[in-house]
Amino acid sequence: MGGLFNYDNPIWRFVGRIWDLFILNILWIVCSIPIVTFGASTTAMYYCTLKIARDRDSGGIFSMFFHSFKDNILQSTIIWVIMAIIGGILFFDIRFFSVYAPINNTVIKMIVFTITCFLIMLWMFIFLYVFPIQAKFINPIKQTFKLALFMSVKHLVRTVIMLAGSIMILVAVYFLIIRMPGVMSMLVLILGSGISLFQASQFNMIFDTYISNDNE
């Protein structure tokens, strides 16, 4: 029985991880409520999950989260505002050109639509990488954007894995909640941090090619 109540027991470690993800998810949601702080909150979440994925979170979720939140709030907020504005323009453009644009030439309309879709894809790539990079590296904002685009394209396979995997998790949780709403709705409490942890395992492998363990 002593082994069962040993905190190093795999069962307790798993329960502890679920609890950490729950707390992290709550912190992320609460600190994102002002909307403008979404960037700093997301950066802080990735800061935690990048460490959790390596079992280097001995400092505690609260201290790690707010350490990153405080250190990155200005730069992450600027990044978030830039991404939100560009994203809003792109999604408005694709809606406009596909429905409302007064372009009678179908070929031109399709060309514009295709270009806009390509730009949205690049926006999604950058959005996926920019906050984890902000959490991991110390760089000017311009360099952070450059790295986000560069890494997302260079490591295209992992980029696709992260995007596809995240979408699959969302879809799976959605259908589980529909079939077993009383039980599976609890998954929502760790959904954001759980997806972040899944992505963090991939980001750590990508970042390892750019930094040594001594610099972490």
Side-chain angles (χ1 to χ4, degrees), residues 182-211:
V183 178
M184 303 313 294
S185 57
M186 297 294 291
L187 289 172
V188 175
L189 299 177
I190 62 170
L191 185 57
S193 56
I195 291 175
S196 175
L197 181 59
F198 158 69
Q199 295 174 354
S201 64
Q202 299 295 316
F203 281 125
N204 276 330
M205 288 186 279
I206 292 171
F207 295 159
D208 280 349
T209 63
Y210 299 92
I211 58 178

Side-chain angles (χ1 to χ4, degrees), residues 10 28 55 57 63 69 75 84-85 87-88 99 113 144 150 162 214:
W28 175 60
D55 284 325
D57 54 317
S63 60
F69 188 90
Q75 193 155 315
I85 291 173
V99 179
F113 181 80
T144 299
F150 171 76
M162 285 188 282
D214 295 335

Side-chain angles (χ1 to χ4, degrees), residues 44-82:
M45 179 172 65
Y46 278 112
Y47 179 82
C48 294
T49 53
L50 286 168
K51 288 185 174 295
I52 290 173
R54 291 191 182 279
D55 284 325
R56 296 181 180 177
D57 54 317
S58 57
I61 296 299
F62 279 95
S63 60
M64 288 195 306
F65 184 91
F66 286 109
H67 166 74
S68 176
F69 188 90
K70 180 185 68 175
D71 285 356
N72 293 288
I73 187 166
L74 179 59
Q75 193 155 315
S76 292
T77 299
I78 295 172
I79 290 172
W80 160 237
V81 170
I82 293 172

Side-chain angles (χ1 to χ4, degrees), residues 7-105:
Y7 288 111
D8 289 329
N9 185 291
I11 296 176
W12 282 110
R13 285 175 61 82
F14 175 76
V15 172
R17 274 288 174 254
I18 296 298
W19 177 252
D20 288 341
L21 291 176
F22 167 72
I23 295 298
L24 182 57
N25 203 65
I26 297 299
L27 289 174
W28 175 60
I29 292 172
V30 171
C31 292
S32 296
I33 288 175
I35 304 301
V36 72
T37 57
F38 174 84
S41 181
T42 302
T43 298
M45 179 172 65
Y46 278 112
Y47 179 82
C48 294
T49 53
L50 286 168
K51 288 185 174 295
I52 290 173
R54 291 191 182 279
D55 284 325
R56 296 181 180 177
D57 54 317
S58 57
I61 296 299
F62 279 95
S63 60
M64 288 195 306
F65 184 91
F66 286 109
H67 166 74
S68 176
F69 188 90
K70 180 185 68 175
D71 285 356
N72 293 288
I73 187 166
L74 179 59
Q75 193 155 315
S76 292
T77 299
I78 295 172
I79 290 172
W80 160 237
V81 170
I82 293 172
M83 290 301 295
I85 291 173
I86 295 174
I89 292 172
L90 288 174
F91 283 99
F92 170 80
D93 284 349
I94 199 168
R95 176 70 176 172
F96 178 79
F97 285 115
S98 61
V99 179
Y100 303 109
I103 302 176
N104 296 323
N105 191 311

Side-chain angles (χ1 to χ4, degrees), residues 117-168:
C117 286
F118 176 74
L119 292 175
I120 289 175
M121 183 188 68
L122 289 182
W123 180 89
M124 291 175 64
F125 282 10
I126 294 172
F127 190 89
L128 178 66
Y129 277 75
V130 72
F131 296 114
I133 289 173
Q134 177 64 25
K136 187 70 174 180
F137 302 95
I138 300 175
N139 284 309
I141 292 174
K142 184 178 180 180
Q143 182 65 15
T144 299
F145 277 115
K146 285 183 177 180
L147 280 174
L149 179 59
F150 171 76
M151 289 185 186
S152 65
V153 175
K154 182 177 180 181
H155 304 278
L156 185 59
V157 173
R158 292 199 184 278
T159 300
V160 172
I161 289 173
M162 285 188 282
L163 285 174
S166 300
I167 292 171
M168 289 173 62

